[in-house]
């Protein structure tokens, strides 16, 4: 049985894979770096001559030799891997282009985020104004073919490789909703997809104006997006603000500095760096923006690096509380350096320093603890239902367990151990009746489609987000 994975990190990588091309590194490998890039030239040594000699030997004798470029990249990549640092990586010419696009949040693709669901990927997000959005691909759709190729049981990276391409490339995407035999072929043209790093909302709660600001990452455009969002929120006369950096993997040092400068007025260093020989203090600018409302920050175990810098500085310099769970705990900084060999543009990312909090604490592998601990939303264990598995009475498997957990969330008092008993059957029949579909007590494609749509909607409903609800209560208590 092929088990699906609905992890947030997995979903993120697919977004990058389809829109940009997977860089082949863990999400936390690209999360806090200095903007300045040095142009130091590589030093020619006898060791480099040894590399040339080995390439020559391989090219003349190896059965598997293809070309010198592959060997050179392999040698460079191996040298970086020898550092045994998960955050130091060699970046090829193609990956450099992708990296630059990522900094600008300019990604070329069709504009969807997908997660594997058994044999095929399900669409969990469609980006506004993207090719997919304009051509009618919807959340809950299942992708079955790419340019006529059936992608059954392919990995997310393999699917990404089929879909990605340069601007103007045509793609035929076959999708279905609740019947795999009823596939719609949607013709798309790969184009630039602008993915925002800041989202915001405003609402009234007990006659109080509350603002919500979600910062997805700290990239080049983040500060401009922030100012635009906060201008709207402040014009609404917000009395409290929730800043959400949960699942934020970090980003640029300059970006997080500018964002902090918007909310904080302090001449105290908000962080330090230490490269092993010297220490450097980092200070805010002189924005002097006036904050006349309360703020609380949401964090979780996937808030990392620059997001941790932000959260800790807001806590230490602004006396703002943190709600959620302990953060990831990445306490190092990376720098990017070009490699100039044979006029080919390649780069290396190296860990250059530790970063320390304003109190000179190193959070590596420790993270930042919240002032108010609230567990992550328990709906993380809600997984999409795979209709290609047998899900019916008197069977046992993991997909039945996923179904039972979903039905439990719907209010049915049933077991959740993966055995499909009579109570599970009756609960499923009742659910099917509420959806006005045949109450067979078995999961067919139509039933799975309805369940998966409900799961996506459930996860997007802030009423089910314990940390968010605690933040609302916190702000209202401060205002009362």
């Amino acid at each position: 049985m092929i088990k699906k994975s609905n992890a947030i990190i997995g979903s993120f990588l697919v977004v990058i894979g389809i829109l940009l091309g997977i860089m082949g590194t863990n999400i936390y490998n690209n999360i806090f770096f200095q903007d300045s890039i040095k142009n130091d030239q590589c030093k020619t040594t006898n060791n480099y001559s040894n590399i040339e000699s080995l390439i020559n030997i391989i090219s003349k004798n190896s059965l598997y030799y293809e070309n010198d470029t592959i060997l050179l990249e392999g040698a460079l990549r191996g040298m970086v891997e020898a550092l045994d640092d998960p955050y130091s990586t060699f970046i090829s010419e193609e990956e450099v282009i992708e990296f630059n696009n990522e900094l600008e949040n300019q990604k070329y693709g069709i504009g969807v985020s997908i997660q594997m669901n058994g044999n095929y990927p399900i669409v969990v997000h469609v980006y506004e104004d993207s090719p997919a959005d304009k051509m009618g691909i919807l959340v809950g759709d299942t992708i079955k073919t790419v340019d006529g190729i059936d992608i059954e049981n392919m990995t997310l990276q393999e699917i990404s490789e089929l879909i990605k391409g340069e601007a103007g490339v045509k793609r035929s995407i076959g999708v279905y909703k609740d019947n795999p035999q009823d596939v719609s072929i949607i013709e798309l043209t790969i184009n630039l997809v602008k993915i925002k790093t800041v989202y915001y909302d405003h609402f009234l709660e007990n006659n109080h104006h509350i603002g919500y600001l979600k910062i997805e990452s700290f990239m080049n455009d983040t500060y401009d997006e922030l100012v635009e969002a906060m201008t709207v929120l402040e014009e609404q006369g917000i009395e409290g603000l929730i800043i959400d950096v949960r699942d934020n993997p970090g980003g640029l040092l300059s970006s997080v500095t500018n964002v902090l400068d918007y909310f904080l007025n302090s001449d105290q260093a908000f962080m330090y760096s230490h490269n092993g020989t010297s220490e450097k203090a980092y200070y805010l600018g002189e924005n002097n923006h006036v904050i006349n409302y309360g703020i609380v920050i949401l964090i979780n175990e996937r808030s990392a690096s620059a997001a941790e810098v932000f959260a800790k500085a807001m806590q230490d310099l602004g006396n703002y509380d943190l709600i959620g769970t302990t953060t990831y705990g990445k306490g190092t900084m990376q720098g990017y350096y070009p490699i100039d060999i044979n006029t080919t543009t390649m780069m290396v990312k190296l860990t250059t320093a530790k970063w320390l909090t304003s109190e000179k604490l190193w959070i590596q592998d420790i993270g930042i603890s919240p002032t108010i601990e609230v567990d992550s939303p328990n709906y993380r264990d809600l997984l999409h239902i795979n209709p290609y598995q047998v899900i019916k009475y008197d069977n046992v498997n993991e997909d039945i367990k996923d179904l039972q957990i979903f039905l439990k969330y719907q209010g049915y008092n049933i077991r959740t151990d993966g055995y499909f008993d009579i109570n599970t059957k009756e609960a499923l029949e009742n659910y099917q009746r509420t959806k006005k579909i045949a109450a067979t007590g078995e999961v067919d494609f139509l039933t799975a489609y309805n369940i998966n749509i409900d799961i996506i909607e459930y996860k997007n409903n802030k009423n089910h987000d314990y940390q968010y609800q605690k933040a609302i209560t916190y702000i209202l208590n401060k205002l009362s």
Side-chain angles (χ1 to χ4, degrees), residues 240-276:
L241 176 67
I242 301 167
I243 303 179
D244 190 347
V245 292
R246 292 176 298 176
D247 305 316
N248 180 324
L252 290 165
L253 174 58
S254 61
S255 178
V256 70
T257 302
N258 289 336
V259 171
L260 283 169
D261 197 27
Y262 187 92
F263 293 109
L264 298 175
N265 293 310
S266 174
D267 56 6
Q268 179 183 349
F270 70 89
M271 62 166 274
Y272 296 85
S273 65
H274 199 287
N275 64 6

Side-chain angles (χ1 to χ4, degrees), residues 24 92 136 142 193 216 222 255 296 302 312 339 352 358 389 438-439:
S92 68
T142 295
V193 179
E216 299 279 3
T222 300
S255 178
V296 66
R302 297 176 191 258
K312 190 58 176 170
I339 304 171
T352 57
S358 63
Q389 294 296 320

Side-chain angles (χ1 to χ4, degrees), residues 128-349:
E128 186 178 355
D129 293 328
S130 67
D133 183 34
K134 293 175 180 177
M135 295 305 296
I137 292 181
L138 300 174
V139 168
D141 288 352
T142 295
I143 298 178
K144 195 169 192 289
T145 62
V146 177
D147 288 341
I149 300 173
D150 194 310
I151 61 174
E152 183 176 13
N153 293 331
M154 285 189 181
T155 66
L156 295 178
Q157 184 164 353
E158 289 170 337
I159 296 168
S160 169
E161 291 297 323
L162 283 178
I163 295 178
K164 73 177 184 177
E166 297 179 353
V169 170
K170 306 289 185 181
R171 288 284 182 260
S172 296
I173 308 297
V175 302
Y176 70 85
K177 297 187 183 302
D178 54 35
N179 183 353
Q181 306 306 316
D182 185 17
V183 177
S184 299
I185 304 299
I186 300 178
E187 304 292 338
L188 299 171
T189 301
I190 289 177
N191 205 345
L192 177 67
V193 179
K194 183 66 176 178
I195 299 178
K196 293 183 178 180
T197 61
V198 175
Y199 297 87
Y200 65 95
D201 196 6
H202 164 263
F203 53 92
L204 275 174
E205 189 77 28
N206 293 353
N207 294 320
H208 291 294
H209 292 267
I210 309 297
Y212 172 77
L213 188 76
K214 172 67 173 174
I215 305 176
E216 299 279 3
S217 60
F218 293 95
M219 294 300 175
N220 280 335
D221 292 339
T222 300
Y223 180 72
D224 291 338
E225 293 177 18
L226 172 89
V227 171
E228 180 181 346
M230 290 309 303
T231 298
V232 174
L233 293 176
E234 289 172 353
E235 286 178 350
Q236 295 291 330
I238 58 172
E239 303 163 75
L241 176 67
I242 301 167
I243 303 179
D244 190 347
V245 292
R246 292 176 298 176
D247 305 316
N248 180 324
L252 290 165
L253 174 58
S254 61
S255 178
V256 70
T257 302
N258 289 336
V259 171
L260 283 169
D261 197 27
Y262 187 92
F263 293 109
L264 298 175
N265 293 310
S266 174
D267 56 6
Q268 179 183 349
F270 70 89
M271 62 166 274
Y272 296 85
S273 65
H274 199 287
N275 64 6
T277 59
S278 61
E279 187 174 88
K280 179 181 178 180
Y282 293 81
Y283 296 91
L284 302 175
E286 297 181 356
N287 191 317
N288 295 323
H289 182 74
V290 176
I291 302 296
N292 56 8
Y293 43 82
I295 296 176
V296 66
I297 296 93
L298 290 176
I299 59 173
N300 69 0
E301 62 278 6
R302 297 176 191 258
S303 304
S305 209
E308 293 173 292
V309 171
F310 174 81
K312 190 58 176 170
M314 292 290 284
Q315 182 185 46
D316 290 349
L317 277 62
N319 295 315
Y320 297 119
D321 283 322
L322 311 178
I323 293 179
T325 53
T326 300
T327 59
Y328 182 78
K330 180 176 180 293
T332 58
M333 302 171 63
Q334 282 68 46
Y336 284 77
Y337 303 86
I339 304 171
D340 201 3
I341 299 176
N342 298 327
T343 70
T344 299
T345 302
M346 296 177 286
M347 298 178 72
V348 60
K349 181 185 68 173

